[in-house]
Amino acid sequence: MSDDDNSPISAREAKQLFAGLRSAPALVLAVSGGPDSIALMWLAARWQRSLPHGPQLTVVTVDHGLRAEAAREAREVKRLATELGLPHRTLRWRGAKPKTGLPAAAREARYRLLVQAARSAGASHVLTAHTRDDQAETLLMRLVRGSGLAGLSAMARLTLRDGIVLARPLLDVPKAQLIATLKRAKIGFADDPTNRDTAFTRPRLRALLPQLAAEGGDARSLARLAGRLARANAAVEVLTDGAERFLRLRDRDDAPHGPGMRSFEAGAFATLPEEVRLRLLLRAINALGHEGPAELGKVETLMAVLDQAMAASPRAAANGRPVLKQTLAGALISLAGGRIQITPAPARRRRDR
C-alpha cells in the first residue's frame, strides 16, 4: 500500500488486498453504507471484474432496527450494488434490543446474520471493512479494560466463526485512504451519527486519538503495536501447545483421561511459566465448561488459589484427599491425588418460583 494516507487506492493495490481470496467460490461483502464498507464493495467489484473467473460476490446489509435512517441507507447500498452488477440482500435484526451492552449485542447479531447469509450464498468468507483506524481503537478499548496478551493483539486478518472465515482485507488501510478513493470515484456514502455518540466507549476513545497522535501514538503506531503483540501471542500459543504435549507425556498410564475431562500432574504443571499455566486452564475450562468463555481475571484468581493450595498442603495434595474444589464458567476444577482435574460442573439446580 502507498505510504500516503490520503492517496486513492490503485487497481494494482486493490489486487494485492484481495489476492488471497481469488480461489474462493463466493464471498459475502458486509456493507453498511459508511465510507469504509462502500469502499470495500467498490474495490472488490473492480477486483472481481479484472479476473477471468473471480469469486461470486454478494452484498449484505444488516439493518439493526436502531435508527430510522438505516432502511434508507440499505436501499442506497442496494442501488450502488446493482450499478456494480452485484446482488444485494438486507437482513434485519428482529426482536427486543438490550438496554445495556447494546454495541456488543448488535455486533453479535450482525455476525450471526452475516454467517447465515454466507451459507445461503455458498460463500466461504465474509469480508468486513475494518481499517487500521478500527484496529487502533480496538487496541485502546482492550487496553483500558485490562485485556491480556491475546486481547491486545486486537483483530486478526482472518478468524473462523461457525465454519465461515471472517476476512478483514482492509486492516492495514487507513480510513482516510478509503475516503480519498471514493472521492476520486465520485461515490457517496452515509454518515452514521452513532460513530460520534459519546454514550458509547469506542467514540469516546476515538476522540482521544488526535491527542495520542500528537504524542506519537497515531493509528499507524497503535496498529503496529497490535501486530507485534499478535506475534508474541502466537509464540506463547506454540509454547502452550508444547506444554500440553509435555504434560501428556508425563502422565502415568493409569492417569484419569476421557473426552469429558482434562487432567494435569500438579507438580509438573507448577514448573511451567505462569502465562502458559493460565492458558492451559483457560483452554480446559472453555472446552469443558458450559457457561463460558471464562474471564481471564477469574482464571488468574483460580490459579492463585491452586498455587496456594499446593504450597500450603503438598502432602494432602499428593494423597487422594481433595484439597480444592471450585467451579468456574460451568467447569469443576479440583486438586487431589497430586493432580489438577477439570470436568464439566453439574448443572445448576433451578429454583422453583
Side-chain angles (χ1 to χ4, degrees):
M1 296 301 296
S2 169
D3 290 334
D4 182 0
D5 288 358
N6 296 302
S7 64
I9 297 172
S10 67
R12 180 182 60 81
E13 289 171 333
K15 286 184 179 180
Q16 293 174 348
L17 290 172
F18 301 108
L21 300 165
R22 181 171 180 166
S23 61
L27 303 170
V28 161
L29 309 178
V31 182
S32 65
D36 304 348
S37 61
I38 290 291
L40 172 70
M41 177 171 63
W42 189 79
L43 290 167
R46 185 171 63 170
W47 163 72
Q48 183 207 42
R49 288 196 301 269
S50 72
L51 302 174
H53 302 288
Q56 173 66 42
L57 303 183
T58 299
V59 180
V60 174
T61 303
V62 176
D63 182 351
H64 294 91
L66 300 175
R67 297 185 299 115
E69 303 88 347
R72 176 182 54 78
E73 291 165 2
R75 289 193 297 270
E76 184 60 23
V77 172
K78 181 177 182 178
R79 182 193 65 76
L80 181 56
T82 302
E83 289 180 3
L84 293 171
L86 303 179
H88 176 272
R89 294 181 61 192
T90 296
L91 303 178
R92 292 173 176 82
W93 180 26
R94 303 189 185 279
K97 308 301 188 290
K99 293 183 179 179
T100 59
L102 183 60
R107 182 171 59 252
E108 179 65 24
R110 178 167 64 253
Y111 283 127
R112 174 173 50 80
L113 291 169
L114 289 169
V115 166
Q116 291 173 2
R119 289 204 183 97
S120 298
S124 56
H125 295 66
V126 170
L127 274 58
T128 67
H130 291 102
T131 66
R132 190 173 72 191
D133 302 68
D134 296 316
Q135 184 76 311
E137 292 164 11
T138 299
L139 174 65
L140 286 177
M141 288 181 68
R142 296 180 179 179
L143 180 65
V144 298
R145 290 174 181 171
S147 294
L149 184 58
L152 293 176
S153 302
M155 293 182 285
R157 187 172 302 279
L158 300 173
T159 54
L160 189 65
R161 184 185 176 103
D162 299 331
I164 301 295
V165 179
L166 302 181
R168 302 175 178 91
L170 308 181
L171 203 54
D172 292 330
V173 180
K175 185 185 189 79
Q177 199 166 13
L178 297 178
I179 292 175
T181 301
L182 294 179
K183 286 183 176 179
R184 171 171 287 186
K186 296 181 171 56
I187 296 174
F189 51 84
D191 176 29
D192 184 350
T194 59
N195 288 329
R196 299 185 301 276
D197 188 347
T198 55
F200 302 117
T201 302
R202 187 178 286 271
R204 290 198 299 270
L205 290 175
R206 185 178 296 136
L208 297 176
L209 282 173
Q211 299 174 53
L212 292 174
E215 300 295 334
D218 59 7
R220 185 192 298 269
S221 298
L222 292 172
R224 185 185 302 119
L225 173 59
R228 289 169 175 168
L229 292 171
R231 287 204 311 265
N233 181 62
V236 178
E237 280 292 284
V238 171
L239 292 176
T240 306
D241 291 340
E244 279 191 311
R245 292 192 293 271
F246 163 73
L247 291 173
R248 282 198 298 269
L249 290 171
R250 293 268 308 188
D251 274 348
R252 304 180 300 273
D253 291 339
D254 59 346
H257 293 287
M261 174 190 303
R262 299 282 176 91
S263 179
F264 308 128
E265 183 186 342
F269 181 84
T271 65
L272 298 171
E274 185 175 357
E275 180 67 20
V276 172
R277 287 186 287 145
L278 276 171
R279 292 183 184 227
L280 288 171
L281 286 175
L282 263 171
R283 288 182 181 185
I285 292 168
N286 288 339
L288 299 173
H290 47 79
E291 298 175 4
E295 296 178 23
L296 177 59
K298 292 183 178 180
V299 180
E300 289 171 334
T301 301
L302 168 66
M303 195 170 75
V305 172
L306 277 170
D307 288 346
Q308 291 172 3
M310 287 188 289
S313 307
R315 291 184 179 178
N319 64 32
R321 182 165 57 87
V323 295
L324 177 102
K325 272 194 174 184
Q326 188 169 324
T327 60
L328 176 60
L332 175 64
I333 302 92
S334 60
L335 172 63
R339 300 195 70 81
I340 300 166
Q341 186 169 296
I342 301 96
T343 59
R348 296 177 186 268
R349 292 183 179 180
R350 298 181 63 181
R351 295 182 180 179
D352 295 332
R353 295 184 178 179

